[in-house]
Amino acid sequence: MKNRRRPAAQVTPLIEDAGLFKCEVREVPVELVPVFSRNNRGDLVVKGIVQPNTEVEVVFAGRRLREAASLVERMKKLRMQGARAALNGHEAMNQISRLRLPVRVRGTWRLRFEPDASGWEMKSYQLIAAQWAFTDLEGYTVLCGWPPVEAEDRVQDRAREARARQAAAKAAQAARQAPEA
């Protein structure tokens, strides 16, 4: 199959965000579990839990990947704290899924279908992150990422300008034709 991806040097923020954020961007409270992976594009994929205890994948893609470094560091520290608690005999920390970091993610949902071991298509959800906020170890809220870049609607702007010129021309013509009193 032919690779249709653009070279990285040709990908602008507008092109990147048009591919990532095709649906409505909304704010979603997620509890991230310190389980990381990468997809075939090199994006960071983190396991997350949304209410009511539904497992999702949160994807940090493209230029937002570098911004996710502080979140990854915070989650690694959370995992180390959980490992220390498990060594000290804390039963609840023996399962990594119980280690959760509350994060508010602004992003869009992507529905995926993947075959399971028996060949049936299984539905899963991905939350593509544009911006996210979490609490650091000192208790401060850290905001990372960027809102999606939206394409300018140049056709609509040109039509609006044309209507304004047309209205101004009609007003000037009416002023010339009006009898002076």
Side-chain angles (χ1 to χ4, degrees), residues 140-155:
Y140 296 107
T141 301
V142 179
L143 177 65
C144 301
W146 297 279
V149 177
E150 294 181 10
E152 298 174 9
D153 193 355
R154 296 181 189 265
V155 174

Side-chain angles (χ1 to χ4, degrees), residues 75-92:
M75 292 179 62
K76 284 182 179 177
K77 289 181 181 177
L78 177 68
R79 187 168 42 191
M80 287 190 314
Q81 288 173 348
R84 276 195 298 265
L87 287 175
N88 292 335
H90 194 279
E91 283 297 316

Side-chain angles (χ1 to χ4, degrees), residues 80-130:
M80 287 190 314
Q81 288 173 348
R84 276 195 298 265
L87 287 175
N88 292 335
H90 194 279
E91 283 297 316
M93 292 300 121
N94 285 332
Q95 295 179 345
I96 196 161
S97 62
R98 296 199 185 200
L99 298 173
R100 297 182 182 181
L101 177 66
V103 179
R104 297 204 60 86
V105 177
R106 283 197 69 230
T108 188
W109 288 103
R110 181 191 302 172
L111 182 62
R112 296 186 56 201
F113 291 95
E114 295 183 41
D116 64 0
S118 62
W120 287 93
E121 293 285 323
M122 298 299 294
K123 179 171 59 171
S124 65
Y125 293 97
Q126 285 186 330
L127 179 62
I128 311 298

Side-chain angles (χ1 to χ4, degrees), residues 13 17 64 119:
D17 288 354
R64 291 172 178 88

Side-chain angles (χ1 to χ4, degrees), residues 37-79:
S37 63
R38 298 277 180 164
N39 62 11
N40 62 351
R41 291 178 178 244
D43 302 328
L44 177 66
V45 179
V46 181
K47 179 180 170 183
I49 308 291
V50 295
Q51 292 301 322
N53 286 332
T54 304
E55 188 175 311
V56 298
E57 293 179 337
V58 181
V59 179
F60 299 91
R63 69 183 192 279
R64 291 172 178 88
L65 185 59
R66 286 188 298 270
E67 289 277 314
S70 59
L71 180 65
V72 170
E73 282 301 314
R74 174 69 173 95
M75 292 179 62
K76 284 182 179 177
K77 289 181 181 177
L78 177 68
R79 187 168 42 191

